[in-house]
Amino acid sequence: EVKLVIGNEIEYFDITFYPMYSSKKYYLGKVMVGRNITNRKNIENKYKFLSVHDSLTGLYNRTYYEEEIRRLEHSRNFPVSVFMIDLDNLKTVNDTKGHQQGDVLLIKLAEFLKMVFRAEDMIARIGGDEFIIVLPKTDQAVVDIIQDRIEKEIVKFNINCDINLSFSLGVKTQTEKGDLAKTIKEADDLMYKNKMERKI
């Protein structure tokens, strides 16, 4: 398979080479047969993307998140920090304004998270209104900076957005290499504590 740029568009071709002989069995060269498989490749790429991404927000999905956690636990990327985020009032919005408006909220939150976190951080939607961000090589000092940035940027974001974003947050840092399940659970507990304190 080869990938070519034709008229500013990427196209894929399946190329096959066949040997060519004369009637006396002398080798004459090769015949190349090319078949345009762009449509097939585009469909394959779409399904490959959807296998590890959430179809609504474009963030990573639970499947990718679980695989990444397993990989990270055996890496040298510690300390690892985990942010758990729960979108506020999604059920109320869905019930009163419809699921389409709820989807808008989820998409806006995804946009915000991609804006405030780094490219190397893994941002995943792991439930209806639950998101997790896993930050490799990130200690408490960096977490404090990120939390401060979140607080400042959400105010700016809501000023320039026609829909108000609000979410509960919990964060925990694990300094030593090992199983991340306890750290994730602690971040999740802190997120729910934050939600209860705010009575959302």
Side-chain angles (χ1 to χ4, degrees):
E1 289 183 4
V2 296
K3 181 170 69 172
L4 302 175
V5 178
I6 301 174
N8 296 323
E9 296 288 335
I10 295 176
E11 297 201 21
Y12 297 88
F13 292 84
D14 183 13
I15 307 296
T16 306
F17 291 91
Y18 297 96
M20 185 171 65
Y21 298 92
S22 69
S23 58
K24 295 184 178 181
K25 305 297 183 185
Y26 292 118
Y27 178 71
L28 300 176
K30 296 177 182 177
V31 175
M32 183 184 78
V33 178
R35 191 163 51 99
N36 191 316
I37 57 168
T38 303
N39 288 339
R40 191 190 82 194
K41 288 297 292 185
N42 287 340
I43 292 171
E44 286 177 3
N45 291 337
K46 178 182 177 181
Y47 281 111
K48 185 177 180 181
F49 179 87
L50 290 175
S51 70
V52 293
H53 289 83
D54 174 53
S55 60
L56 178 66
T57 63
L59 300 178
Y60 288 116
N61 60 18
R62 178 177 282 276
T63 300
Y64 181 87
Y65 146 71
E66 290 174 348
E67 196 62 42
E68 184 66 7
I69 290 297
R70 282 192 286 270
R71 185 197 66 78
L72 198 55
E73 287 174 338
H74 299 93
S75 74
R76 298 180 180 178
N77 290 327
F78 286 81
V80 171
S81 293
V82 177
F83 280 73
M84 293 294 298
I85 288 178
D86 189 89
L87 180 63
D88 295 334
N89 300 316
L90 180 61
K91 185 178 186 306
T92 301
V93 171
N94 283 337
D95 291 344
T96 59
K97 297 182 179 180
H99 286 270
Q100 187 173 4
Q101 192 66 17
D103 287 349
V104 171
L105 268 178
L106 290 164
I107 292 167
K108 288 295 182 183
L109 178 55
E111 290 175 5
F112 177 76
L113 295 178
K114 285 187 279 190
M115 181 182 74
V116 295
F117 286 97
R118 305 167 301 188
E120 63 266 31
D121 300 330
M122 187 209 68
I123 310 171
R125 182 185 178 202
I126 57 173
D129 54 4
E130 290 185 322
F131 297 77
I132 187 169
I133 303 94
V134 181
L135 297 80
K137 296 182 179 179
T138 305
D139 59 18
Q140 187 61 49
V142 177
V143 164
D144 292 340
I145 294 170
I146 294 171
Q147 285 186 285
D148 185 58
R149 184 163 76 230
I150 289 172
E151 290 176 9
K152 292 176 180 176
E153 291 299 327
I154 192 62
V155 174
K156 297 178 188 176
F157 190 84
N158 281 331
I159 289 173
N160 299 312
C161 187
D162 57 355
I163 191 166
N164 194 65
L165 270 185
S166 173
F167 50 83
S168 304
L169 183 149
V171 60
K172 193 71 179 177
T173 299
Q174 181 170 320
T175 57
E176 301 295 327
K177 179 178 179 180
D179 188 352
L180 284 164
K182 182 181 177 184
T183 298
I184 293 168
K185 176 67 166 58
E186 289 174 348
D188 195 48
D189 290 343
L190 288 169
M191 181 267 291
Y192 276 106
K193 181 182 178 183
N194 178 236
K195 185 176 283 288
M196 292 300 104
E197 289 172 348
R198 294 163 59 241
K199 296 180 180 179
I200 299 297

